Amino acid sequence: IWLYRLPSLIGAIAAVLLTYWALLAFTTPPLALLGAALMAASILLGVEARLAKTDALLAACAVATMGALARVWLDWQRALPFALHERNWLIFWSATALALLIKGPIVPMVWGLAVLVLSLKERSFRWFMALKPGKGLLICLLVVLPWVLAIAWKTGGAFFAESVGKDMLGKVTEGQEKHGGPPGLYLLIFFGTFWPAAALAAMALPFGWQNRRTPQVAFLAAWVLPSWLVFELVPTKLPHYVLPLYPALAALAMLALAAGALDPRRRGAVLTASLMALIPAMLLVGTGAGAWILDRSMAFIAIPLLLIALVLAVLAVRTFARGDAQGALWHGVLASVVVSLGVYSFGVPVLRSLKLSPRLAEAVAAVPCGERQVITAGYREPSLVFLVGTELAMAPDGTGAAQFLAAPGCRVALVEARQQATFDAELARTGTKTRLITRVSGFNINGGRKLDIAVIARTE
């Protein structure tokens, strides 16, 4: 499973390194290092680094494009303290081409909206010409077109009908896969997903408003605001959508820090900074309670570590109250390291209820027959595909799973409780004989609900 997670880990590391590179266009190396450390410490990037998904690598591509774009913009505004690198355009378009392969138009949307906003402000697109769009689009075409032709030939166009016509448009028009949410949801979860930097990044917003006409802040606003608005308006809400925007908020916080704008004497500043202690406190309670409620176990090592993280977060708040915002942020980074150790190394492993896919894979492997053909209904997770095999079929409902099971051969169905009624009804209609291998119960983090899944095999 770690082999599948490797691209995510590489993407997360690249996102951190590229955040440092991007922030060098705005601030000094020590503050760029702090901004990159805050990106590394963020809860959201830490989660994405450990999932077998593409979003961490996509974020790295976004930061690469925006770091290159920032240098072009600031050089145009004569606000860049060093000469533009002659290969800057190559970085921009190479990252764009890779992003198109990873997840289509998301990264071009982010930089495209920024270019549009800045060009309207400047009343000219001439500044963008430094990125050599003609050559860049040719690079994108050369990278993406072979894959497009190959997948079109392989699937007869079905892939594009599914990914564009159903998946992408489904996310735009409705809350897909039960991940809907109202506008404003990303603001609501921001203090959790961008912890420990979120509180002080929020305090930098008044500084950003006061300096909105400066080239640096204007660029950061163009990076964040239009794309954030799009994500808030799209009905499908997934936390990782806004991950490519977090480096810009880290940059704004560093600009505010350099200007002395993160002042504890401001009204409500210390109270806002106190939010830094909220996440360790919630994780401390949640890990202990979750281990006991779900598995009747105790997270003996995780609890002390999370308690240490909470102490470090409280020290961060006290450090900020004494007027040392930079020291407070470094305390927050250290607290995040301890949180990661407590949760991922010692907390999650004792929560067997969270390991639905491994337990289902074990149950399938225990079915005493030849080459197994497996279908799942009501439970769709990438981890299940990795563990059971890429031939795993996915039924739209219980009826489809029962029809699959009725065919000859060694067949196994994984049926979530909500699909059980339609599954049983179709079995009764077809007269298929089955037996219950086991039931796997647990908590699915992706969706936030308890699941009860029956493992059912066909009998000859």
Side-chain angles (χ1 to χ4, degrees):
I1 193 70
W2 275 105
L3 183 61
Y4 294 115
R5 292 175 179 170
L6 189 59
S8 295
L9 180 60
I10 293 172
I13 294 171
V16 172
L17 296 176
L18 286 165
T19 296
Y20 173 75
W21 174 74
L23 265 59
L24 284 175
F26 298 92
T27 188
T28 62
L31 290 181
L33 179 63
L34 175 55
L38 292 171
M39 185 67 179
S42 66
I43 291 286
L44 186 54
L45 186 62
V47 170
E48 292 299 325
R50 292 167 173 84
L51 298 178
K53 294 169 59 186
T54 58
D55 297 290
L57 189 56
L58 190 74
C61 292
V63 181
T65 60
M66 296 308 291
L69 191 67
R71 283 162 169 77
V72 171
W73 168 256
L74 294 175
D75 184 64
W76 174 266
Q77 298 288 318
R78 301 296 182 264
L80 192 67
F82 48 85
L84 183 67
H85 196 284
E86 61 180 5
R87 294 189 178 88
N88 199 57
W89 69 274
L90 189 57
I91 296 172
F92 180 87
W93 291 109
S94 298
T96 297
L98 179 58
L100 286 169
L101 287 177
I102 294 171
K103 197 170 277 190
I106 300 300
V107 168
M109 181 202 78
V110 172
W111 65 251
L113 289 173
V115 168
L116 180 61
V117 169
L118 293 170
S119 297
L120 289 174
K121 177 183 181 298
E122 196 67 14
R123 298 181 182 178
S124 172
F125 281 91
R126 284 187 301 161
W127 66 276
F128 185 67
M129 295 300 105
L131 285 172
K132 304 179 183 180
K135 291 183 178 180
L137 291 173
L138 180 60
I139 288 175
C140 291
L141 192 63
L142 291 173
V143 170
V144 176
L145 186 59
W147 178 86
V148 170
L149 294 176
I151 201 71
W153 175 77
K154 181 71 175 178
T155 66
F159 172 82
F160 299 106
E162 180 73 17
S163 62
V164 178
K166 183 177 178 182
D167 185 68
M168 188 174 73
L169 293 180
K171 287 180 170 67
V172 172
T173 57
E174 59 183 341
Q176 199 178 57
E177 300 171 2
K178 305 189 187 307
H179 293 301
L185 181 64
Y186 290 116
L187 285 176
L188 185 64
I189 65 174
F190 171 71
F191 286 95
T193 55
F194 198 40
W195 180 87
L200 270 66
M203 272 187 269
L205 294 179
F207 165 84
W209 175 255
Q210 293 165 5
N211 295 274
R212 61 190 181 278
R213 290 186 175 87
T214 63
Q216 292 88 348
V217 175
F219 181 87
L220 295 175
W223 183 346
V224 174
L225 293 179
S227 294
W228 194 293
L229 182 61
V230 169
F231 292 138
E232 290 285 14
L233 292 177
V234 171
T236 300
K237 297 288 190 298
L238 290 167
H240 62 258
Y241 282 5
V242 294
L243 182 60
L245 311 181
Y246 282 177
L249 296 170
L252 180 63
M254 295 303 99
L255 289 175
L257 180 62
L262 301 182
D263 190 343
R265 293 170 296 180
R266 288 178 177 268
R267 179 181 299 178
V270 175
L271 182 62
T272 303
S274 298
L275 293 172
M276 294 179 72
L278 182 62
I279 295 300
M282 292 175 63
L283 287 172
L284 177 63
V285 174
T287 302
W292 180 253
I293 293 171
L294 295 175
D295 293 303
R296 290 295 187 267
S297 62
M298 293 293 292
F300 290 108
I301 302 178
I303 296 300
L305 286 171
L306 290 172
L307 188 59
I308 292 171
L310 177 58
V311 171
L312 288 170
V314 171
L315 287 174
V317 177
R318 292 186 61 184
T319 302
F320 174 77
R322 291 197 298 266
D324 183 6
Q326 186 170 346
L329 288 170
W330 279 115
H331 274 88
V333 170
L334 184 57
S336 176
V337 172
V338 180
V339 162
S340 297
L341 188 63
V343 172
Y344 298 119
S345 298
F346 299 103
V348 172
V350 303
L351 294 171
R352 182 170 169 77
S353 291
L354 300 182
K355 302 175 184 178
L356 282 168
S357 292
R359 292 162 61 203
L360 287 169
E362 290 172 5
V364 168
V367 175
C369 62
E371 192 169 329
R372 305 168 191 86
Q373 299 179 66
V374 187
I375 194 168
T376 178
Y379 178 71
R380 296 187 174 203
E381 294 297 331
S383 55
L384 186 63
V385 179
F386 297 144
L387 293 169
V388 173
T390 55
E391 298 301 319
L392 175 69
M394 297 190 181
D397 51 30
T399 301
Q403 292 170 350
F404 175 90
L405 216 59
C410 177
R411 292 179 177 254
V412 182
L414 312 177
V415 184
E416 205 274 319
R418 291 168 297 168
Q419 305 294 334
Q420 191 74 50
T422 56
F423 177 80
D424 291 340
E426 183 64 16
L427 282 184
R429 189 188 71 80
T430 59
T432 306
K433 296 187 181 298
T434 63
R435 63 189 178 96
L436 178 67
I437 303 299
T438 187
R439 301 194 75 90
V440 176
S441 299
F443 188 83
N444 186 23
I445 296 177
N446 186 12
R449 66 173 64 191
K450 275 190 171 185
L451 297 181
D452 181 27
I453 304 170
V455 182
I456 301 170
R458 180 182 185 275
T459 58
E460 298 294 339

